[in-house]
Amino acid sequence: MDYSWPLINDNITQSDRLALSNFCLYGERFTNGEKVKEFEKAWSKWLGVKHSVMVNSGASANYIQIAIAKHLKGIGEIIVPAMAWVSDCSSVINLGMDLVFVDVNLSNFSMSVESLKASITPNTKAIMLVHGLGFNALNDEIIKIAKENNLLLLEDVCESHGAKFKDKRVGSFGDLSSFSFYFGHHMTTIEGGMLCTDNEEIYQLAKMFRSHGFVRESSQEVQSFYKEKYPELNPLFTFAVAGFNMRSTELNAVLGIEQLKRLDYNIEIRRNNFKTWIENLNPNMYYVDYDLEGNSNFALPLIMQESFKDRLHINDDYSSVCDILELNKVEYRLGTIGGGSQIYQPYVLNSNSFKTFTPLTNSDIIHKNSLYIGNHPELTEEQIIELCKKLNNV
């Protein structure tokens, strides 16, 4: 379908294209180099962290997060909200750890404190906190739980660039955070991701895991340690960890440097769009009691109230929510984050490496009764209000 309101808008501008073409004409190195370092430095400053490591996708950043958790804590359980992206979970499975799914809050799609508390065991190694759809998932209780139980706090901020907790950007609270710069997110490098931390040891590990496990990617101090411990090895080809090749290119970094310049402006527009959205939906038909504090909404979610859920998709004379969206050429995705609760996915069910200690009540409500549509900086207030009126008349 030729959508008038697509899920994703092409936010690569002419100035972005010019920066890319100039680099292609005059750049001398195209793989991970000085532009990547420049973007990492700019991103660290914007986020408010000491270190950033650019990788080739947000999913790769998730894999490195779990690899570092395994390296530091050993094999065990990783707690993940059921409403998560596939790589939050597949990375746990593929790296030989156990998934523990917990429920979420309807108000911000984030991890339920009660479900989290009930799911911690002696084998728990880390909490993967997912900031979904632009909502802040942090609170004081989660931070306290992680510290009291000596758990790594990993933040997935792939959909929530610029969301804040206590006036500080999320992704700067945990031991390690991940961001995605995929084509449809708050800003794009086409494909790309970032790992962020204030911890020096984790920073050195992230650089090594990014590039095959090469010791030469790390600090002089780390290199000297391995040179002294393994004198028989060539220092240029000493592999400290079982790493990956998840490096970015200079081209992706050039685009990231340009996109970062207008990120804050676009986030503010998204926030205003979301406020208009929930203020104009009928609360008797749709859930609207979202937590607005610090959000940077990546999308516009639509959760049908329980009494109204049978109108999600009926295909009867444009009488359902989906029919209204299709009639108005509005692209949507059922199930919201990751297509819904990950616990129902074949790769999870076939893995035999997942557990639940609490009911996933809210996750099921979102899974069965919700969808989301795109939230673009180009949307007008009138467009949003007009669509809300049509949805309220279903």
Side-chain angles (χ1 to χ4, degrees):
M1 183 182 290
D2 183 17
Y3 294 104
S4 60
W5 185 327
L7 201 67
I8 297 167
N9 266 5
D10 186 350
N11 62 352
I12 298 175
T13 65
Q14 284 302 110
S15 63
D16 295 335
R17 295 169 190 267
L18 182 61
L20 283 171
S21 62
N22 284 340
F23 183 80
C24 286
L25 286 171
Y26 304 111
E28 295 182 356
R29 174 179 171 141
F30 286 79
T31 191
N32 190 350
E34 291 306 310
K35 284 297 179 181
V36 168
K37 291 177 182 177
E38 182 182 342
F39 182 37
E40 289 172 340
K41 185 176 179 181
W43 186 261
S44 294
K45 182 178 179 181
W46 178 83
L47 184 61
V49 295
K50 293 179 181 177
H51 308 295
S52 293
V53 177
M54 189 180 186
V55 291
N56 57 9
S57 72
S60 293
N62 291 152
Y63 267 75
I64 291 176
Q65 282 179 303
I66 301 303
I68 289 174
K70 181 179 178 180
H71 180 85
L72 294 176
K73 296 285 189 176
I75 293 175
E77 297 168 353
I78 308 290
I79 295 177
V80 183
M83 300 303 299
W85 182 246
V86 56
S87 56
D88 293 311
C89 308
S90 62
S91 56
V92 176
I93 294 170
N94 286 332
L95 287 165
M97 308 286 267
D98 288 328
L99 270 171
V100 175
F101 283 117
V102 296
D103 203 14
V104 300
N105 305 306
L106 289 177
S107 61
N108 58 7
F109 296 84
S110 73
M111 192 175 286
S112 159
V113 170
E114 292 73 23
S115 188
L116 171 61
K117 285 180 177 178
S119 301
I120 294 172
T121 75
N123 291 322
T124 306
K125 305 299 181 181
I127 299 168
M128 175 65 85
L129 188 72
V130 179
H131 301 273
L133 294 187
F135 288 106
N136 159 49
L138 275 165
N139 57 53
D140 290 326
E141 191 70 11
I142 289 175
I143 294 172
K144 181 182 177 184
I145 289 169
K147 288 182 178 178
E148 287 181 346
N149 291 276
N150 192 29
L151 304 176
L152 285 175
L153 181 58
L154 310 174
E155 294 183 73
D156 179 334
V157 201
C158 291
E159 294 183 346
S160 300
H161 308 52
K164 292 183 177 180
F165 175 58
K166 293 186 173 180
D167 293 323
K168 185 179 174 184
R169 289 188 174 104
V170 302
S172 61
F173 289 86
D175 297 286
L176 182 61
S177 63
S178 60
F179 288 82
S180 169
F181 304 124
Y182 175 64
F183 178 69
H185 288 168
H186 288 71
M187 59 169 280
T188 186
T189 60
I190 304 175
E191 295 284 359
M194 195 76 81
L195 287 153
C196 305
T197 185
D198 284 329
N199 184 293
E200 181 66 27
E201 181 184 10
I202 288 175
Y203 173 53
Q204 300 303 329
L205 285 169
K207 287 192 292 181
M208 290 190 288
F209 271 110
R210 171 179 66 178
S211 188
H212 301 290
F214 273 129
V215 168
R216 71 191 191 202
E217 294 289 318
S218 62
S219 66
Q220 286 299 319
E221 182 181 3
V222 173
Q223 291 183 49
S224 296
F225 169 81
Y226 280 96
K227 186 175 182 180
E228 183 176 327
K229 189 171 182 180
Y230 301 95
E232 71 282 5
L233 293 178
N234 182 342
L236 292 178
F237 291 93
T238 301
F239 304 94
V241 295
F244 315 99
N245 180 11
M246 293 177 170
R247 292 170 296 204
S248 181
T249 73
E250 294 285 83
L251 291 169
N252 300 101
V254 167
L255 192 53
I257 291 165
E258 292 299 310
Q259 291 258 323
L260 183 55
K261 296 173 184 176
R262 57 183 184 274
L263 178 57
D264 288 331
Y265 173 78
N266 287 340
I267 287 170
E268 193 57 36
I269 295 175
R270 290 175 188 268
R271 286 188 178 127
N272 292 333
N273 288 348
F274 183 70
K275 190 169 183 289
T276 300
W277 175 249
I278 61 172
E279 285 178 349
N280 286 277
L281 287 173
N282 183 343
N284 295 318
M285 299 166 70
Y286 309 104
Y287 184 88
V288 296
D289 296 324
Y290 296 104
D291 184 1
L292 295 180
E293 188 69 28
N295 79 82
S296 66
N297 286 86
F298 159 69
L300 302 177
L302 196 68
I303 303 177
M304 269 51 72
Q305 296 285 14
E306 281 288 288
S307 59
F308 185 64
K309 66 181 180 180
D310 61 336
R311 305 304 293 272
L312 178 61
H313 210 329
I314 300 174
N315 288 322
D316 179 20
D317 298 326
Y318 302 111
S319 59
S320 77
V321 170
C322 294
D323 291 332
I324 292 294
L325 295 175
E326 289 165 11
L327 180 64
N328 288 275
K329 296 186 176 182
V330 179
E331 191 175 7
Y332 62 88
R333 291 290 184 271
L334 293 172
T336 67
I337 303 168
S341 177
Q342 292 297 305
I343 200 167
Y344 298 116
Q345 293 291 346
Y347 79 92
V348 171
L349 296 174
N350 294 331
S351 71
N352 296 316
S353 63
F354 72 95
K355 306 171 186 177
T356 58
F357 295 98
T358 67
L360 304 178
T361 306
N362 289 336
S363 300
D364 280 344
I365 289 172
I366 296 170
H367 180 85
K368 297 172 184 176
N369 305 330
S370 73
L371 54 82
Y372 73 80
I373 65 174
N375 180 8
H376 316 134
E378 298 84 5
L379 288 175
T380 67
E381 185 178 30
E382 291 74 21
Q383 278 180 286
I384 298 170
I385 292 173
E386 185 61 28
L387 182 59
C388 287
K389 286 179 181 177
K390 292 175 180 178
L391 290 168
N392 292 341
N393 285 327
V394 170

